[in-house]
Amino acid sequence: MKILITILLMAVYLTASAQDDEESWNRYLDQLGEIEDVEGTGWASAHEILSELAAHPIDINSATRENLLQLPFLTEQEVEEISEYIYRYAPLKSLGELAMIRSLSYEKRQLLLHFIYIGEEKEQGFPQWKNIIKYGNHTFIATGKVPFYERKGDKEGYLGYPYRHNLRYTFNYGNAVKIGIIGAQDAGEPFFANRNKVGYDFYSFYAVLQNMGRVETLALGRYRLGYGCGLVMNTDFSLGKLGMLTTLGRNQNNIRAHSSTMQANYLQGAAAKIKLTKGLDLSVFTSWRKIDATLTDSGFIQTIRTDGYHRTQTEMDKKNNASQMVAGGHLNFFKKGYHLGITGTFTHLNQELHPATAALYRTYYASGNDIWNASMDYGYNGSHLTINGETATGSCGAIATLNTLSWKATSELSLMAIQRFYSKKYYSLFSQSFSEGGRIQNESGLYVGATWQPSRKFQMMAYGDYCYFPWPRYQVKEASHTWDYLLQMTWLPEKWKIGMRYRLKRREQNNADATALEWNTQHRGRLSVAYDTGVWSSHTQGDLAFSAADEKSFGWMLSEQLQVKYHWLEVSASIAYFHTDDYDSRLYAYERGMLYGFNFPMFYGEGIRYWLMGHVSLLKNLKLTAKIGTTNYFDRSSIGTSYQEIAHSSMTDAELQLRFKF
């Protein structure tokens, strides 16, 4: 073990600048994130998808509208203007030409540089297979995480060893072909043992072909879908309330590879998007897969599990013990800025879904063997006005509707409003959209937001959101309300980036005795200052949290991150001190990590977090990344609970990643 630690430290200190710079787009994600986003699986999914797009960027000279719509931070108007510019002036000679696209802000242009490149001119349409095989790019990534501590489950309870690791292989040829395989293992899961006889606990296989004449996209294996506003079908992701301001409520029409280690929220089979005629396309999909489920004694599915953990025998017994068949399609018409779509899905479960409804909030959860949903999405995309919406129903016999309106009042000011109504009886197994409660059910509300950017160096974003829940929710015994307000400002003087954020949220919840509702008021603030000379950079951040309900809770955190780049050398290091009264005033902080790694750790109590990371280029196409980090708590003698309990006040992890391109 001492030898391993020595190797890790040497890899960190003797590093070369080798990894693509992920700092900017990771900071962008952090800037848009709120606690609800980071705690949900959607944010982890968003990070993995952006990592994949950054690792395999889009050739801007051969990019189609469909390629550009994969970038979740672009508005429909921005996609249209980029597509038109490429059509008129391709091939682009420099990415600096993006400055000619008026709708793109300076910040979005800088962000876009991480996901596109200028490639060599290739043949029009789908390339020849001999060229694909000869000139395609291969990427192999191996990642491992080693804990220098022992959990309770490692001694008794877990079926496997304490190491987490995964392998990725991707083959791609420009924007036309992408094929990959992923094998992933969580800490504590058996490897080549128990029910994992073929090695990894989770595998994902996928192939996506694009621009094949009338077949715009063909996906085989595991894939994700997103249609309309996501009220019926969205296994992709959403960027949350602040993200809606950056995309102006853009509708979706995506087929994407499931190039993620996440073991839920994907389909398995085939999907295709076919161009029927100019302005009219049809998407069809079919899927069959095993799913994890908690079964009752009668054989009913009580819950569909999505965490993907198979560490204990109890968790392993729930692995793949039910199956799910899905089929459906999406017909989409678009012309001169107008679009109209129809989505239909049918889902069959081999065992009846029968949730436990003893708790009142589960009364209207999805149930039965067969579930269908249908919706109509609609909208108009103009240079100043954008309207999008979707209205859905299904076998539940109820409706859900979401409608957005955005208006670019001036070149500096954009306004947006979102109305949603999700019946307490509505459900869809694959819905994911704008919401406060995390489910497309039992919610109605109104959101208004604004983005003001009077100059390239200053931007202000703000929103207010009111939400009403007519039926009881988890830990809320009756109808309730939530108010949510946020103000964020960013100032970009030369070499500096200064950000400020304040959020006020008030929501009703049960009091301590669960006899009545009380208001829980949360205040959260952030001030960050970043400085970048090109050789070295620093990022200083202060976070505050205050929560008041039955009891008051206060927390704060101060963090500093440094990065040095000098010819062949790149080293990153960070230290953060946090002090919160309890979990209610918990705080999050972004930190750099491995490619595809989701690094927004949560802190509460009192302690310190520090880490060191670097990159080394062993050969021209071989890169090594290493990181070692420690969290040391001052207010406890153990960390975690149950099988995750660590009988120490500190925990240290080391991570290694090897990336080979050829």
Side-chain angles (χ1 to χ4, degrees):
M1 188 61 70
K2 291 183 179 179
I3 295 175
L4 177 60
I5 295 174
T6 303
I7 293 173
L8 287 170
L9 291 175
M10 288 177 63
V12 170
Y13 278 108
L14 303 176
T15 59
S17 179
Q19 182 172 333
D20 298 334
D21 182 15
E22 301 170 53
E23 185 74 8
S24 295
W25 69 260
N26 271 287
R27 286 289 179 192
Y28 169 80
L29 199 63
D30 181 39
Q31 182 180 343
L32 295 182
E34 301 165 13
I35 275 195
E36 293 84 354
D37 302 321
V38 177
E39 291 181 335
T41 58
W43 214 242
S45 178
H47 186 273
E48 287 214 37
I49 289 173
L50 287 171
S51 295
E52 180 69 16
L53 289 169
H56 303 94
I58 296 169
D59 180 355
I60 192 66
N61 277 326
S62 59
T64 64
R65 182 175 179 272
E66 304 304 315
N67 298 140
L68 294 172
L69 283 172
Q70 295 180 62
L71 300 172
F73 49 84
L74 294 178
T75 68
E76 291 184 20
Q77 181 63 24
E78 290 163 348
V79 168
E80 293 297 336
E81 290 193 19
I82 295 172
S83 299
E84 182 179 356
Y85 188 89
I86 295 170
Y87 176 76
R88 288 187 176 185
Y89 303 110
L92 276 65
K93 302 299 183 183
S94 167
L95 292 177
E97 293 185 49
L98 295 174
M100 303 298 293
I101 301 172
R102 297 180 60 184
S103 64
L104 277 179
S105 66
Y106 171 79
E107 187 175 22
K108 281 200 178 180
R109 288 201 306 272
Q110 295 302 112
L111 182 64
L112 192 57
L113 298 181
H114 298 278
F115 303 99
I116 62 174
Y117 73 100
I118 293 180
E120 299 178 359
E121 290 188 62
K122 297 183 176 68
E123 62 267 42
Q124 296 296 315
F126 192 76
Q128 297 181 22
W129 280 105
K130 64 178 182 180
N131 289 336
I132 293 173
I133 296 171
K134 184 176 181 180
Y135 299 112
N137 298 311
H138 306 261
T139 303
F140 176 84
I141 298 177
T143 306
K145 184 173 183 179
V146 180
F148 296 110
Y149 48 83
E150 189 176 53
R151 301 179 182 90
K152 182 179 179 180
D154 297 329
K155 295 183 290 185
E156 51 177 83
Y158 289 161
L159 301 173
Y161 47 69
Y163 313 114
R164 178 180 180 181
H165 53 93
N166 61 72
L167 297 175
R168 292 173 179 267
Y169 166 75
T170 306
F171 172 86
N172 73 290
Y173 180 86
N175 305 329
V177 179
K178 183 177 179 181
I179 301 171
I181 179 173
I182 297 171
Q185 193 82 12
D186 288 312
E189 294 177 338
F191 187 58
F192 281 108
N194 202 279
R195 291 177 59 184
N196 295 338
K197 301 296 185 183
V198 293
Y200 281 103
D201 180 73
F202 174 76
Y203 288 98
S204 183
F205 310 86
Y206 59 86
V208 176
L209 310 178
Q210 293 187 307
N211 308 328
M212 301 172 63
R214 288 191 176 273
V215 180
E216 295 184 348
T217 305
L218 173 65
L220 302 172
R222 294 182 172 175
Y223 60 90
R224 295 168 175 259
L225 300 175
Y227 296 129
C229 297
L231 301 187
V232 166
M233 175 57 69
N234 181 17
T235 59
D236 214 354
F237 68 95
S238 172
L239 287 178
K241 293 183 179 180
L242 268 176
M244 291 294 282
L245 286 178
T246 68
T247 62
L248 299 181
R250 190 185 86 184
N251 269 23
Q252 302 181 82
N253 187 8
N254 297 330
I255 300 176
R256 192 195 303 274
H258 180 61
S259 53
S260 168
T261 59
M262 298 187 67
Q263 300 182 33
N265 212 32
Y266 66 87
L267 299 176
Q268 179 175 274
K273 184 176 182 181
I274 304 164
K275 185 176 182 180
L276 301 179
T277 185
K278 185 177 181 180
L280 183 66
D281 59 57
L282 172 67
S283 296
V284 291
F285 58 90
T286 181
S287 167
W288 184 89
R289 55 171 291 219
K290 291 282 191 178
I291 57 174
D292 292 2
T294 301
L295 303 180
T296 66
D297 294 337
S298 303
F300 296 133
I301 299 175
Q302 189 172 79
T303 57
I304 297 175
R305 292 174 54 87
T306 59
D307 58 24
Y309 289 129
H310 307 114
R311 302 162 298 184
T312 66
Q313 192 59 52
T314 300
E315 291 175 345
M316 185 62 75
D317 290 342
K318 298 175 182 179
K319 181 179 181 179
N320 295 337
N321 58 358
S323 66
Q324 176 190 81
M325 187 278 292
V326 186
H330 176 77
L331 183 66
N332 184 57
F333 169 79
F334 56 95
K335 186 176 183 180
K336 294 183 178 180
Y338 294 92
H339 61 87
L340 179 67
I342 299 173
T343 304
T345 66
F346 174 78
T347 303
H348 173 75
L349 300 168
N350 70 325
Q351 299 170 83
E352 184 178 348
L353 180 59
H354 196 281
T357 56
L360 203 56
Y361 70 91
R362 294 198 188 102
T363 301
Y364 298 109
Y365 276 21
S367 62
N369 284 94
D370 299 318
I371 299 171
W372 65 268
N373 289 93
S375 73
M376 178 177 290
D377 62 270
Y378 37 82
Y380 168 75
N381 176 39
S383 58
H384 294 281
L385 181 67
T386 300
I387 300 171
N388 282 309
E390 183 178 16
T391 299
T393 186
S395 51
C396 56
I399 67 166
T401 184
L402 182 144
N403 299 279
T404 71
L405 185 150
S406 60
W407 176 43
K408 194 169 185 178
T410 68
S411 59
E412 297 86 19
L413 179 65
S414 296
L415 305 174
M416 185 174 188
I418 304 175
Q419 171 272 333
R420 75 252 192 211
F421 169 78
Y422 309 144
S423 169
K424 66 182 181 183
K425 297 182 179 180
Y426 178 80
Y427 54 76
S428 168
L429 294 182
F430 304 101
S431 58
Q432 184 180 190
S433 188
F434 183 91
S435 71
E436 170 63 34
R439 301 177 64 89
I440 309 305
Q441 185 181 58
N442 184 36
E443 178 176 328
S444 60
L446 180 65
Y447 166 103
V448 293
T451 301
W452 181 48
Q453 189 162 1
S455 71
R456 193 190 80 173
K457 296 183 177 181
F458 181 80
Q459 182 190 70
M460 183 169 68
M461 303 172 71
Y463 72 71
D465 184 41
Y466 164 74
C467 188
Y468 172 63
F469 306 96
W471 190 254
R473 298 188 299 144
Y474 178 65
Q475 293 186 337
V476 184
K477 61 189 288 288
E478 57 189 76
S480 59
H481 305 77
T482 296
W483 296 87
D484 187 8
Y485 308 94
L486 185 140
L487 174 66
Q488 178 169 288
M489 293 181 286
T490 305
W491 182 35
L492 299 168
E494 191 70 24
K495 297 183 180 179
W496 293 85
K497 183 173 183 178
I498 301 172
M500 293 170 282
R501 174 192 288 191
Y502 170 71
R503 186 186 187 192
L504 168 64
K505 188 171 184 178
R506 302 186 74 233
R507 58 185 177 88
E508 288 183 300
Q509 64 181 33
N510 290 345
N511 61 11
D513 300 326
T515 56
L517 298 186
E518 64 179 7
W519 284 103
N520 182 326
T521 302
Q522 298 178 350
H523 302 266
R524 294 188 175 272
R526 171 179 292 179
L527 174 63
S528 63
V529 179
Y531 182 74
D532 190 349
T533 67
V535 176
W536 67 272
S537 62
S538 69
H539 186 95
T540 306
Q541 183 168 298
D543 289 273
L544 296 173
F546 176 75
S547 177
D550 270 346
E551 298 181 357
K552 296 181 179 179
S553 178
F554 177 74
W556 62 278
M557 177 167 59
L558 183 64
S559 61
E560 176 65 38
Q561 181 172 319
L562 297 172
Q563 181 177 343
V564 177
K565 298 178 181 179
Y566 186 70
H567 296 299
W568 52 271
L569 178 66
E570 178 180 348
V571 175
S572 301
S574 177
I575 186 169
Y577 173 80
F578 55 92
H579 192 297
T580 79
D581 292 337
D582 52 35
Y583 182 78
D584 288 342
S585 52
R586 65 196 180 279
L587 294 161
Y588 288 84
Y590 157 73
E591 64 180 54
R592 297 193 70 181
M594 304 295 105
L595 182 63
Y596 297 100
F598 183 61
N599 293 285
F600 290 85
M602 178 265 292
F603 304 101
Y604 72 95
E606 182 183 7
I608 189 170
R609 167 70 177 173
Y610 48 93
W611 54 266
L612 188 64
M613 180 174 132
H615 318 287
V616 60
S617 182
L618 303 175
L619 297 170
K620 181 180 179 181
N621 298 320
L622 186 63
K623 302 176 182 180
L624 175 69
T625 302
K627 177 181 177 181
I628 188 164
T630 297
T631 305
N632 188 13
Y633 290 93
F634 305 148
D635 62 342
R636 67 196 71 174
S637 58
S638 64
I639 304 171
T641 60
S642 187
Y643 287 133
Q644 290 290 95
E645 182 178 348
I646 303 167
H648 301 284
S649 61
S650 66
M651 52 189 290
T652 299
D653 294 277
E655 295 177 88
L656 280 173
Q657 185 175 83
L658 188 69
R659 180 165 52 159
F660 181 44
K661 288 187 175 183
F662 61 98

